[in-house]
Amino acid sequence: MPSSFLATSPIAQEIINRDLEECSTSDDEDYGQPESDSEPDVNPEEVPRHGSDSRRHSDSRRLSDLRRSSMQESAPLAFHPTGIAYGTPFLAVAPNAPLQAVPTEHDIEESLAAERSLLRDNHILPPKHRRNPPKDTLLRRVYKRIFSTKVPEDERPSETTPLLESIYEYPPQTPGVEDIQFRWEVAVANQVIKTTWQREAKTLIQYSAPLIVTFLLHYSVTLGSVLTVGRIGMLELGAINLATMTASITAYVPVQGLATCLDTLCSQAYGSGHKHLVGLQAQRMTYILWLLIPPIGLLWFFSEPILASVVPDKETVRLAALALRILIFGMPGVAAFESGKRFCQAQGLFHATTYVLLIAAPLSFFLNWFFVWQMDWHFAGAATAMAITQNLIPILLALYVYFFEGRECWKGFSKKAFHNWGPMVRLALPGMIMIEAQFSVLEILTIAAGQFGPASLAAQSVLVSVTSTAFNIPFPLAIAASTRVANLIGANLVGAARTSAKVALVAACLVGLFNLTMLTVFRHQIPLIFTDDLTVAGIAAQGMLVCAVLEVFDATAAVSHGLLRGIGRQSIGGYANLFSYYFVALPVSLGTAFWLKWELAGLWFGLTCGLAVVTAIELIYIYRADWQTAVDQAAERMQSDAANNNHK
């Protein structure tokens, strides 16, 4: 099945071309457009320097030129994980993002560092620091066996390998960019680059650690309200879960799905040198998303009779409807943030979101405490705190862009943002439909939990919060694995990609076992963090045992789906999720919950079975997949992109 990148690329190009046609020559001059569209408009003074070494920055600029001239031969090795929406991920659901984005200056620097590291690991470049040979002790051998990233001596390239003369000689100084790039291209062409599990483990940790922090920070905005409401009462805890799940299905998930098209549009606009189009695309998507607010707001405002038809407890429904009416005021911020973070990601400013959340997340806890307990607004105070935080986050992001970095892509508000909506909507709809279809199952199960009474619905809120928090560890790992495998595939390193995939799957199992252990050992203590009600805590503790087993499959399914994205087969994972949710998880959940009388534990047992099926399908496909075909398709995409750039 074709990847979403191949399917959406022509539409993305159509949008860019239409915008360029509407921009007059004088407009281009005002925006600072380059005379040649084939070269990005990069002002060296505007590019943030990572380190004080000016030679390193100069090398990255020269490598950028080399990359443009050799893009058809291999892809940049190190990319930030782009195209990922920091949101509230549940149960192996991940947006389908482009396999590669346009490299920024920071990406190019990381590419050089990653290639240099692999060349050193393969003994093709000298070590970073010249040292005297250490004594060959038992401790030294054990240390090298466990932690050394070097390819074993018996696997290093032979001296007959046609790479470079004097390849093992120690030069007086570190080779320059051209020398590194030349050795890399020759080594890749001769298929002598190998990797070790230690190198891949180190790389996955470096990629995933900051993402884990960012995802946990973002989810804490929702978690803070749940923790606060749980201290008010059982009904309130169930109501906030019903409200947030309804809000996710009817608004947050569609908004997130629609905004994923900016992953392609903004990165292509930035990479082609039309920086003003980055802001224009983000501006246009924000207006499109804001256009959804009136109908969604109308639905939320009159949601009480709708929820009452599926949830029997009237007080729970009344509180959930109250929360939804308050959350209407947070919708503009949610939409603006979805566009804003992609505006920053296209420029390589991935840390911008983290800095903003470092301020917003603690502030959300303070607002919950202030409104709920100090102002005595009780349940309404928690929803108010959430709505205020949702609007505050994009404001903080805009302030960061204005005062620190990223302003060169914002040229002010433009009437052109109200044009060219059709192609953007066509590009955005497939991603939105896929994510919405996957998330809808969770709303069905939340409604089903309400049939067992307020206590079960409150316990469902605890289980959703715990599993969602736990998922913020394997999900970033899946993003890191997807990025690394895609980079290695693009560089024609099939063996290294397979090694990285194996390391990622082992890491997923370890994460899953860690989550299983934590949920099993502390199954009685964790619910008490959310609520003082012993009845709710008891029901949640029973369900926690099922959720503990679910965590193993949840982690492996997430990473497996990430690997499928890395080899360009994300559609396989999407369809596997849909099949397992609707034809396995949903029937088993409803059957065990109502027919076998397992109630809440039965609902989560069905989800566990569904994720087990997803894991099996994806692992079998990954094992049987022809990875060389993925390499060939990646090369075709790069040739197509290069041809498009030359045509422009």
Side-chain angles (χ1 to χ4, degrees), residues 86 214 337 340-341 344-345 348-358 393 396-397 400-401 405:
Y86 302 124
T214 306
F337 181 59
K341 66 190 174 188
C344 292
Q345 288 173 1
L349 307 178
F350 298 90
H351 50 274
T353 308
T354 304
Y355 294 155
V356 167
L357 291 174
L358 283 172
I393 291 176
L396 291 175
L397 189 62
Y400 180 89
V401 170
E405 51 186 342

Side-chain angles (χ1 to χ4, degrees), residues 380-425:
T384 303
M386 191 184 301
I388 291 177
T389 306
Q390 288 170 341
N391 286 310
L392 181 64
I393 291 176
I395 293 175
L396 291 175
L397 189 62
L399 292 175
Y400 180 89
V401 170
Y402 183 82
F403 288 105
F404 293 98
E405 51 186 342
R407 286 184 63 185
E408 63 269 18
C409 290
W410 179 259
K411 303 303 178 182
F413 295 97
S414 172
K415 295 180 180 179
K416 297 184 180 67
F418 294 98
H419 303 160
N420 204 13
W421 284 22
M424 176 172 278
V425 173

Side-chain angles (χ1 to χ4, degrees), residues 400-533:
Y400 180 89
V401 170
Y402 183 82
F403 288 105
F404 293 98
E405 51 186 342
R407 286 184 63 185
E408 63 269 18
C409 290
W410 179 259
K411 303 303 178 182
F413 295 97
S414 172
K415 295 180 180 179
K416 297 184 180 67
F418 294 98
H419 303 160
N420 204 13
W421 284 22
M424 176 172 278
V425 173
R426 295 204 312 272
L427 181 64
L429 279 178
M432 186 272 287
I433 293 173
M434 178 65 74
I435 299 176
E436 180 71 16
Q438 293 171 331
F439 269 83
S440 297
V441 174
L442 299 171
E443 174 72 357
I444 295 172
L445 297 182
T446 297
I447 293 173
Q451 306 301 313
F452 305 123
S456 293
L457 187 58
Q460 171 77 352
S461 178
V462 174
L463 297 180
V464 168
S465 299
V466 171
T467 54
S468 297
T469 302
F471 187 63
N472 281 295
I473 301 177
F475 187 50
L477 178 63
I479 299 170
S482 173
T483 302
R484 180 64 171 176
V485 168
N487 296 156
L488 294 171
I489 287 291
N492 197 22
L493 300 177
V494 179
R498 287 184 176 274
T499 301
S500 184
K502 293 176 183 177
V503 172
L505 288 173
V506 171
C509 293
L510 293 176
V511 169
L513 291 174
F514 171 79
N515 289 340
L516 180 147
T517 303
M518 296 297 292
L519 267 61
T520 302
V521 173
F522 298 105
R523 64 184 182 277
H524 296 292
Q525 289 77 19
I526 292 175
L528 296 176
I529 300 174
F530 294 84
T531 179
D532 294 326
D533 192 293

Side-chain angles (χ1 to χ4, degrees), residues 21-88:
E21 289 176 2
E22 292 184 3
C23 294
S24 64
T25 304
S26 60
D27 289 337
D28 290 345
E29 293 174 355
D30 293 338
Y31 286 136
Q33 278 299 102
E35 294 181 3
S36 175
D37 292 343
S38 60
E39 293 291 330
D41 178 21
V42 179
N43 184 350
E45 297 180 357
E46 294 177 355
V47 177
R49 285 165 170 76
H50 302 271
S52 59
D53 190 353
S54 60
R55 175 177 173 271
R56 181 185 176 189
H57 178 69
S58 176
D59 284 352
S60 70
R61 298 281 300 178
R62 291 153 64 193
L63 178 62
S64 176
D65 296 334
L66 285 169
R67 283 296 187 205
R68 296 187 190 101
S69 63
S70 62
M71 186 63 74
Q72 296 184 19
E73 298 178 7
S74 63
L77 186 59
F79 261 13
H80 285 286
T82 59
I84 298 300
Y86 302 124
T88 315

Side-chain angles (χ1 to χ4, degrees), residues 119 123-126 157-169 175-187 190 192:
L119 289 174
H123 313 281
I124 298 174
L125 283 183
S158 65
E159 295 192 17
T160 59
T161 302
L163 292 177
L164 291 170
E165 295 182 3
S166 68
I167 197 169
Y168 302 105
E169 294 180 3
V177 172
E178 292 87 349
D179 191 11
I180 294 173
Q181 179 64 17
F182 178 61
R183 295 190 185 203
W184 173 260
E185 296 292 347
V186 175
N190 286 275
V192 297

Side-chain angles (χ1 to χ4, degrees), residues 53 61 102 131 134 162 167 192 258 288 296 324 351 378 380 385 484 508 525 527-528 548 620-621 631:
D53 190 353
R61 298 281 300 178
V102 178
R131 302 182 180 91
I167 197 169
V192 297
L258 290 171
I288 293 175
I296 293 175
L324 287 172
H351 50 274
H378 302 292
R484 180 64 171 176
Q525 289 77 19
L528 296 176
I620 291 173
Y621 187 89
V631 171

Side-chain angles (χ1 to χ4, degrees), residues 71 75 99 486 489-491 629-639:
M71 186 63 74
L99 297 181
I489 287 291
T629 301
V631 171
D632 297 338
Q633 291 179 349
E636 291 176 2
R637 283 194 296 271
M638 286 185 289
Q639 291 175 359

